[in-house]
Every structure is written in C-alpha cells, then in structure tokens.
Amino acid sequence: MEPIRVLHENVIMDPGGIEALLMNVYRHIDREKVQFDFMVHRPDHAFYEDEIESLGGRIYRTPKFSPFPGAYQKYIGSVRQILRDHPEYKVIHAHAELNLWPLTEAKKLGIPTRIAHSHNAKTTVNLKYFFFLYEKVFIKKYCTDMFMCSTHAGEWKFGKKAVSEGRVKFIKNGIESERFSFNKNICERKRKELGIGNKLAVGHVGRFMEQKNHTFLLDIFNEIHKTEPNSVLILVSDGRLMDDIKKKAARLGLSKSVMFLGNRRDVNELMQAMDVFLFPSLWEGLPLTGVEAQAAGLPVVMSDVITPEVCITDNTHMMSLKSSAREWADKVLEISKSKERKNTRQQIIEAGFDIRTTAAWLQDFYLERYK
C-alpha cells in the first residue's frame, strides 16, 4: 500500500525554525504511511533538499511571491498549475507567512484539508505587510484548520477570539531531545575543536534578519567583553544581514572574539560547547532554538516579548528590550557563574516538546483526514 502524500508549502527549505520543525517531524513519522512533499518559492537548491529527496520527498518550485502585478500572476499561476497537476494531494499544510494565496487556490481546486499554520507573532513592515493585513481578514474563509506554535502566534494571525474559543490547535515545536541532552564529553571535545578553551562562550542560533536583533546582541556582547575579555560570541546560521553584523563587530573591535559559523548540521553539539544562550529577539512565535538550548541544559536569557510558553525549565531569564545592553550583559555574567549543567530531557518530554509527540499527533491527524 502506497503512503499518503501531504504537500507542505514554505518559502525555502534552508535552516530556520519552521524548516527545522518540518524536518524533525519528517524524520520521525512513519514514512511507509505518510510521505511529505514540498512546494517552495525560491529557485535555489536549499540546505535540506538533498535530505528531503533521500527520504522520498518531492520538491516543486514556484516563482517568488511578489506584490507587483506581473510577478504576482506568475506566482499564482505556478501554484495553480502544481495543484492541478497533482490531484493526489488531499492535505496541504501551509507554513509561509503569506499562505492565504496557495490555500485560496487549493480551495478552488477542491483540496479538502487546508491547514494554515502560524509560526510567528509579528512580521516585518514592508510592501508585503499590506498583504498580511488582508490575509488576517480572509484566512479563516480559505483554510479548514488553523495551527499555531504559541498563543501569541495564533492571536497574531487568527485573532484572539478564534484562539480563546479553541478553534486554533496548539502544535508544539518538538525537538529531538536526546540529541541535545547535555554530554560532558561532547562539550569538552567541541570546545577544543572550536579553540575556545576556558573562555566564557555566549551563544546564539538564528538567521541574520531583523527579527533576531543581532545588532543589539552585539551591543550586549560588547558590554560582556569589557567586563570579561576572556569571552567569545558564537553565532550560528546565515542570512542577508550577516555582512552588516560582521562590519559592526569589526567596528567594535570584536572580530577576533565573534565566531560566525554559518549554517551547521551540528547545532546540538555546538550548544554543548556554550555557557549561556542569548536570545534578544524583537518578536517570535515560539523559538525552536530556545527549546533546544534548554534541552542542552543551558541558561537562556531572552527578550520578554517572546511567549512564556517557551519557558520549560527554571533556567530561563526574561529581559525587557527597553533595558540597556549593560543590564543584559550583567544578567548574562551573573548566571554564567554557575557552571552546573543538568540533563533536562525529561522536563522537555513531560512538557510535550519531544518530537516524537509532535510527529505522532500530526501523523494521526493526516491519516484521519485522508480517511
């Protein structure tokens, strides 16, 4: 018997919170029962595509979504053609910020299950922002199911009323908890590999984009470094603002103390090497890396705009973005004095953030809908 096939819609399958969650689920579902395919909106061969194809997934490409008439029509036409050419899809699960348009086409073509998944609690204000406001008004008309990664994310996209009435399902951003559990041997090996010795290692994992607030993160580390010169900042991922942050690090005289590691497949091991995880985001849905950092037994200092639903262990500390970089630095230095790292895996599992729980729920949901 052939597995059912679920079409996931996303911008590009490069490393990021949405993409990490999708790949975590994909690796842990029973692929003899459920297979994933992906409709993406970029021409680039992305980070996860080889793995997707090795797991049996297919990738379809559309042009980039654009508010300009000609490009917009090309995008819509491409989405429509893909869905027409593949009537086998009975479930489309849309993850991109602007997912009203593929779901509208899916409804017109009679796809019975159309999931809109909210992964964020705010968006960048640009030309597409007006499309997002339009989407917020009409999304409930074109989707059959509403998913959210946090209450904040659900309210942002679907409204407080829909969330309070229980019409939006809370899908927890599950992680591979065993891979992130603290291991002293891995910690020592990775610190040696990175050449950081006994330095205070402040870490961050996040795409270089406005949302992640790297410029303030550098200001904080600059203050940390003034007090503790024997310190390093580990930055994992890439993005369009990376060069700007590298230039700022150079202006601050921190080039030798800031490590730009790019996209990595060993994030779990890099977290073992860190002493503190710093996360001053301007907004988030529910950050997967925040859960991973806690699973690694790291103390986490994060902005208080992030949903408290991410606070699983008692080692999370929230700070206001109105506080100065010096105040943030003092908090990091204070909590870094404790070198004790605990195995927090059981807490992650009990809170429902292990990927097996998330994957099993989604698998059952997809199979039930196909019935």
Side-chain angles (χ1 to χ4, degrees):
M1 185 176 174
E2 287 292 310
I4 67 169
R5 304 196 79 94
V6 175
L7 182 63
H8 288 275
E9 177 269 349
N10 194 40
V11 175
I12 187 170
M13 290 305 293
D14 271 340
I18 297 171
E19 297 77 16
L21 173 67
L22 278 170
M23 294 308 297
N24 282 346
V25 172
Y26 194 16
R27 296 175 191 123
H28 287 85
I29 57 169
D30 183 345
R31 291 186 297 279
E32 292 186 0
K33 294 181 179 178
V34 181
Q35 256 296 345
F36 285 0
D37 298 324
F38 297 83
M39 180 169 66
V40 298
H41 315 310
R42 294 290 185 275
D44 318 72
H45 183 86
F47 187 82
Y48 288 120
E49 289 190 14
D50 289 340
E51 183 180 358
I52 288 168
E53 291 176 340
S54 74
L55 295 174
R58 304 165 184 160
I59 297 160
Y60 308 105
R61 300 187 191 280
T62 76
K64 182 178 180 180
F65 180 93
S66 170
F68 298 106
Y72 173 79
Q73 291 304 323
K74 285 182 181 178
Y75 167 77
I76 290 295
S78 179
V79 170
R80 186 181 301 135
Q81 193 62 51
I82 289 167
L83 297 180
R84 278 180 177 165
D85 289 347
H86 296 279
E88 67 268 26
Y89 295 116
K90 306 303 178 190
V91 176
I92 178 171
H93 192 155
H95 302 271
E97 202 165 53
L98 295 172
N99 53 36
L100 169 63
W101 287 268
L103 291 176
T104 300
E105 294 305 310
K107 182 176 182 179
K108 289 177 182 176
L109 293 170
I111 295 178
T113 296
R114 306 176 300 277
I115 305 163
H117 199 144
S118 180
H119 292 276
N120 232 324
K122 198 178 174 183
T123 190
T124 305
V125 178
N126 54 25
L127 277 174
K128 290 182 183 176
Y129 184 70
F130 301 100
F131 281 73
F132 184 76
L133 295 178
Y134 179 87
E135 175 179 84
K136 286 176 68 141
V137 175
F138 293 101
I139 188 69
K140 291 191 280 292
K141 179 181 177 182
Y142 292 95
C143 68
T144 56
D145 298 90
M146 296 176 281
F147 288 179
M148 63 183 180
C149 67
S150 69
T151 302
H152 287 176
E155 291 177 346
W156 170 247
K157 192 176 186 80
F158 306 115
K160 290 185 177 181
K161 188 171 185 284
V163 173
S164 66
E165 291 176 351
R167 291 188 285 139
V168 188
K169 296 179 179 70
F170 184 6
I171 311 301
K172 293 186 176 179
N173 285 351
I175 67 162
E176 296 175 304
S177 57
E178 74 284 357
R179 290 183 66 240
F180 286 87
S181 296
F182 180 66
N183 182 302
K184 187 178 179 182
N185 293 331
I186 294 175
C187 172
E188 291 174 352
R189 172 172 58 80
K190 211 65 182 177
R191 288 179 75 93
K192 185 177 180 180
E193 181 185 307
L194 293 169
I196 58 180
N198 66 347
K199 293 179 179 179
L200 170 63
V202 179
H204 174 85
V205 181
R207 201 174 280 166
F208 286 79
M209 55 195 296
E210 179 192 357
Q211 173 185 354
K212 300 299 180 181
N213 206 10
H214 281 88
T215 185
F216 184 52
L217 196 154
L218 263 189
D219 290 337
I220 297 167
F221 180 69
N222 188 38
E223 295 297 326
I224 292 169
H225 199 65
K226 288 175 184 176
T227 303
E228 179 49 82
N230 196 33
S231 59
V232 293
L233 176 61
I234 300 170
L235 299 177
V236 184
S237 197
D238 65 8
R240 61 184 180 82
L241 298 180
M242 181 190 274
D243 287 344
D244 293 342
I245 299 303
K246 284 183 176 179
K247 289 172 184 174
K248 179 166 181 174
R251 288 197 304 272
L252 293 171
L254 295 172
S255 293
K256 293 182 179 179
S257 299
V258 181
M259 305 175 73
F260 293 87
L261 301 187
N263 287 327
R264 301 278 293 236
R265 295 188 184 275
D266 59 346
V267 172
N268 58 316
E269 295 192 352
L270 291 170
M271 283 190 174
Q272 306 289 318
M274 297 172 187
D275 295 307
V276 181
F277 195 79
L278 186 54
F279 212 71
S281 294
L282 297 173
W283 68 85
E284 290 284 347
L286 190 147
L288 195 78
T289 51
V291 180
E292 292 170 343
Q294 290 174 80
L298 281 169
V300 181
V301 182
M302 68 178 82
S303 56
D304 62 4
V305 299
I306 300 173
T307 176
E309 289 159 324
V310 76
C311 299
I312 301 163
T313 71
D314 59 3
N315 216 359
T316 54
H317 309 267
M318 288 199 157
M319 295 281 294
S320 170
L321 290 170
K322 294 178 182 177
S323 297
S324 66
R326 183 68 251 173
E327 289 171 299
W328 277 71
D330 288 342
K331 174 57 73 174
V332 171
L333 291 165
E334 175 194 330
I335 65 175
S336 70
K337 291 174 184 175
S338 172
K339 296 292 183 180
E340 184 183 10
R341 294 278 284 272
K342 297 176 182 177
N343 188 321
T344 58
R345 186 184 177 203
Q346 196 56 39
Q347 285 178 269
I348 302 297
I349 293 171
E350 289 173 1
F353 282 93
D354 185 84
I355 191 57
R356 289 164 186 79
T357 304
T358 307
W361 190 93
L362 283 169
Q363 179 174 306
D364 288 346
F365 178 87
Y366 297 142
L367 288 168
E368 184 62 33
R369 286 306 175 88
Y370 263 78
K371 288 180 184 177

